[in-house]
Amino acid sequence: QVQLVESGGGSVQAGGSLRLSCAASGYTYSSGCMGWFRQAPGKEREGVAAIRSDGTTTYADIVKGRFTISKDNAINTLYLQMNSLKPEDTAMYYCAAGPRWLFRQSLLSAGKYDYWGQGTQVTVSS
């Protein structure tokens, strides 16, 4: 049974930083693509950042330069370092696990991912 559990969310002032973690069980990070997605009330789920099995990363334009995705294969943990947070970053953040390899342009497509965590809330105040 694959289980993904996010943590690290919370409330922060604009300009602040937060680091999200996603711990996996029943799944090996080194074998597949991993991504972070977010969804705000009334909006569609959007891809934030993803990392391919070969280490290739991609980011949504709106977070590029502010967010960094990384993983620690030894402990099956995915991270999202978020800096210079803005109120528009407020959302429920989900981690997801997908196939072993995806074209770079597909890494932020939610439909490509098979497993999802329950989410962690990030709230950025102005």
Side-chain angles (χ1 to χ4, degrees), residues 79-120:
Y79 303 99
L80 183 67
Q81 179 66 48
M82 305 184 293
N83 298 326
S84 301
L85 283 161
K86 305 174 180 179
E88 49 263 47
D89 294 318
T90 295
M92 184 72 75
Y93 283 70
Y94 302 89
C95 70
R100 186 166 184 171
W101 194 86
L102 290 168
F103 286 108
R104 196 168 189 268
Q105 60 265 37
S106 298
L107 284 169
L108 295 179
S109 298
K112 299 293 185 179
Y113 290 80
D114 304 305
Y115 306 104
W116 295 83
Q118 293 299 303
T120 185

Side-chain angles (χ1 to χ4, degrees), residues 2-7 21-25 27 29 34-39 45 78 92-98 110 113-121:
V2 175
Q3 184 171 311
L4 306 176
V5 180
E6 302 94 337
S7 62
S21 298
C22 176
S25 62
Y27 185 89
Y29 281 178
M34 299 291 297
W36 287 98
F37 297 79
R38 68 187 185 187
Q39 188 167 22
R45 185 168 298 189
L78 181 74
M92 184 72 75
Y93 283 70
Y94 302 89
C95 70
Y113 290 80
D114 304 305
Y115 306 104
W116 295 83
Q118 293 299 303
T120 185
Q121 179 68 39

Side-chain angles (χ1 to χ4, degrees), residues 51-105:
I51 184 165
R52 203 162 64 189
S53 55
D54 65 352
T56 298
T57 59
T58 192
Y59 299 89
D61 288 341
I62 55 176
V63 307
K64 198 170 297 181
R66 300 188 296 121
F67 291 10
T68 303
I69 188 170
S70 62
K71 62 179 179 176
D72 187 337
N73 290 333
I75 59 171
N76 262 2
T77 302
L78 181 74
Y79 303 99
L80 183 67
Q81 179 66 48
M82 305 184 293
N83 298 326
S84 301
L85 283 161
K86 305 174 180 179
E88 49 263 47
D89 294 318
T90 295
M92 184 72 75
Y93 283 70
Y94 302 89
C95 70
R100 186 166 184 171
W101 194 86
L102 290 168
F103 286 108
R104 196 168 189 268
Q105 60 265 37

